[in-house]
Amino acid sequence: MPELPELEVIRRQIEPLMVGRTVSRVGTTAESNFFLTKPAVLKRHLSGRRVRALERVGKYLVASLDDGSRLLLHLGMTGQLFGAGVDSPRLSSPVARARSAVRTEKQKFKPDLHTHLRLSFRDGGQELFLRDVRRFGRVQVLKPGESCARLDRLGVDALVATGAHLFAMARKRRIAIKSLLLDQSVVAGIGNIYADEALFLAGIRPSRTACRLTGRQCIELMEAARRVMLRSIETGGSSIRDYLQPNGSDGGYQNERLVYARAGRPCVRCESPIVRTVIGQRPAHYCPKCQPAK
DNA sequence: CGTTACACCTGAGGGC
DNA sequence: TGCCCTCAGGTGTAAC
């Protein structure tokens, strides 16, 4: 679900709830693949720990703790982080949200069976909830100095990566350019929405073979990706299915998206119907005119 | 080694 | 109403 912009919005909102605070209680659901560190170990390890910093690395959130260990969070497809103080976070589909929107009275977040992690803090800090319906997300504790293949494997952060870097990586690869953008070891943070949006802005068809792009195109593509993601962060991210900000409100970027999940609707530039295909087992959307095959 | 297929999960929405 | 099917902001791994 969440990509770099959503993770960055989440990080900014969650940071003041975590940093400088000491964990008093840890609640979890039962052992599952969601917990790379078993719930019992997690509880023992986190209790009493003070959070020093909360950083984003690609699509991961990394909390540094006062004993030098780190708490790793990944939200997979449907992960959500909420602060306890939020009013009425609407947790289901847009349709269900619309239905429940008529309910006007405010409610505090209520943990349900999908709320897999619950952190309480001392000194009256707000509680923190991690909810993930599909459990594609992951939680892990790294001991002081412990390395982690998942993190080590990540490429340059997508907000920092240059077109020259993308070009250098693209030259060696025969996969579709869209698949290359989604490869977290090349550039970290881009997901399915922003890959499609960036390719549209750069006028490049997602199916084009990566190594056949010019240096100029790689520069334009990387710049488009950065522009789109920075704008999305400004608007609070894309709320299309499950994503909500930690404060419970929708993001705004879903209203600015130009191709993602707009199949059949007119291109904003040329009116041609947007096409949906599948590339690398993921849905891909593009304008057949503005993003030429060759 | 690069590329591709599939597995991991659940709930919403559409067709019959 | 209910069943069955398809679909989804991700990623690790097995198999070619």
Side-chain angles (χ1 to χ4, degrees), chain A residues 62-160:
Chain A
V62 183
S64 305
L65 308 178
D66 58 359
D67 63 346
S69 66
R70 292 178 292 173
L71 172 65
L72 224 68
L73 303 177
H74 193 287
L75 299 185
M77 289 276 263
T78 54
Q80 302 169 311
L81 269 173
F82 295 114
V86 317
D87 295 323
S88 305
R90 293 152 302 170
L91 301 177
S92 41
S93 70
V95 175
R97 281 188 225 166
R99 272 200 293 268
S100 65
V102 292
R103 193 183 52 206
T104 50
E105 83 257 34
K106 295 184 170 182
Q107 295 184 321
K108 297 301 182 190
F109 176 78
K110 286 203 211 92
D112 59 2
L113 78 161
H114 301 300
T115 306
H116 299 110
L117 184 64
R118 175 176 183 163
L119 296 180
S120 310
F121 297 93
R122 285 184 200 155
D123 312 321
Q126 271 189 43
E127 268 190 307
L128 204 63
F129 301 95
L130 200 174
R131 183 174 183 268
D132 185 356
V133 170
R134 292 176 73 180
R135 275 184 280 140
F136 286 171
R138 295 291 182 260
V139 175
Q140 184 175 19
V141 164
L142 299 178
K143 299 199 182 103
E146 185 180 353
S147 68
C148 171
R150 293 163 176 273
L151 290 184
D152 296 343
R153 217 177 304 151
L154 294 177
V156 199
D157 193 87
L159 287 183
V160 177

Side-chain angles (χ1 to χ4, degrees), chain A residues 2 6 20 22 35 54 56 69 95 120 136 138 147 149 155 195 202 213 217 236 240 260-261 275 279 286 289 293:
Chain A
E6 289 74 29
T22 301
F35 296 101
L54 180 66
R56 179 190 59 75
S69 66
V95 175
S120 310
F136 286 171
R138 295 291 182 260
S147 68
L213 294 198
Q217 284 179 310
I240 294 170
Y260 182 81
V275 172
I279 295 173
Y286 65 91
K289 265 183 125 176

Side-chain angles (χ1 to χ4, degrees), chain A residues 1-4 58-59 74 77 153-156 158 166 169 173 175-199 206-207 210 221-222 225 229 260 277-285:
Chain A
M1 147 216 157
E3 309 181 27
L4 185 152
K59 299 175 193 171
H74 193 287
M77 289 276 263
R153 217 177 304 151
L154 294 177
V156 199
L166 183 65
M169 300 305 275
R173 310 291 297 273
I175 55 176
I177 182 59
K178 159 144 177 167
S179 300
L180 189 76
L181 284 180
L182 293 177
D183 184 339
Q184 302 298 298
S185 71
V186 171
V187 160
I190 300 177
N192 213 30
I193 297 177
Y194 302 103
D196 281 1
E197 295 299 313
L199 284 159
S207 56
L221 182 52
M222 214 51 244
M229 293 175 126
Y260 182 81
T277 55
V278 173
I279 295 173
Q281 286 89 239
R282 313 288 310 275
H285 315 77

Side-chain angles (χ1 to χ4, degrees), chain A residues 229-247:
Chain A
M229 293 175 126
L230 287 174
R231 173 61 189 158
S232 180
I233 291 170
E234 273 179 32
T235 63
S238 297
S239 295
I240 294 170
R241 280 191 177 79
D242 303 289
Y243 170 74
L244 294 174
Q245 298 180 244
N247 63 19

Side-chain angles (χ1 to χ4, degrees), chain A residues 14-69:
Chain A
I14 291 302
E15 185 176 44
L17 306 188
M18 289 187 84
V19 174
R21 301 193 185 276
T22 301
V23 177
S24 57
R25 282 181 44 198
V26 181
T28 73
T29 50
E31 209 173 306
S32 74
N33 290 334
F34 184 79
F35 296 101
L36 294 175
T37 301
K38 291 187 180 194
V41 179
L42 202 63
K43 289 177 186 174
R44 190 175 348 117
H45 193 95
L46 293 180
S47 298
R49 293 275 66 79
R50 186 181 155 96
V51 181
R52 274 198 195 136
L54 180 66
E55 287 163 306
R56 179 190 59 75
V57 183
K59 299 175 193 171
Y60 287 86
L61 288 179
V62 183
S64 305
L65 308 178
D66 58 359
D67 63 346
S69 66

